[in-house]
Amino acid sequence: KKGIKNLQVFGDSELIINQVRGQHATKNDLLKSYKNKVWDLIEDFEAFNIVSIPKKKNEVADRLAVVGATFDVVDNLRREKTQPHIH
């Protein structure tokens, strides 16, 4: 939708990267659904490349992903409505 034609993805999990590439079997049902979604999305690009990087070079992105994954939007919206804001 954004007009992006070429996408390069970086990841620090060789297993996941190789599963996306189709080089390793994906046995876990949840991971299979994620992999299939990735494969569906890849079709929208003219070029797609997934590259492995060392975990040390991915620490900041990993921490951000952990925070994003644990952030409860609904709970935070509820608290905003019930707790006064201090400015």
Side-chain angles (χ1 to χ4, degrees), residues 30-41:
L30 182 59
L31 291 179
K32 277 183 193 176
S33 68
Y34 289 149
K35 180 191 72 180
N36 291 336
K37 182 63 176 174
V38 168
W39 283 358
D40 290 344
L41 292 171

Side-chain angles (χ1 to χ4, degrees), residues 4-75:
I4 298 168
K5 296 178 182 176
N6 303 310
L7 181 66
Q8 186 168 21
V9 176
F10 299 92
D12 61 18
S13 172
E14 279 294 322
L15 177 62
I16 299 297
I17 289 169
N18 287 332
Q19 288 173 339
V20 170
R21 289 177 176 161
Q23 296 172 340
H24 286 331
T26 308
K27 297 177 183 176
N28 179 285
D29 288 337
L30 182 59
L31 291 179
K32 277 183 193 176
S33 68
Y34 289 149
K35 180 191 72 180
N36 291 336
K37 182 63 176 174
V38 168
W39 283 358
D40 290 344
L41 292 171
I42 289 172
E43 293 177 8
D44 294 334
F45 300 99
E46 290 177 13
F48 173 83
N49 188 27
I50 186 165
V51 178
S52 177
I53 61 172
K55 286 193 184 290
K56 280 282 185 199
K57 291 190 175 186
N58 202 32
E59 288 177 340
V60 173
D62 188 49
R63 277 187 256 140
L64 181 61
V66 168
V67 169
T70 59
F71 185 76
D72 187 341
V73 175
V74 174
D75 184 52

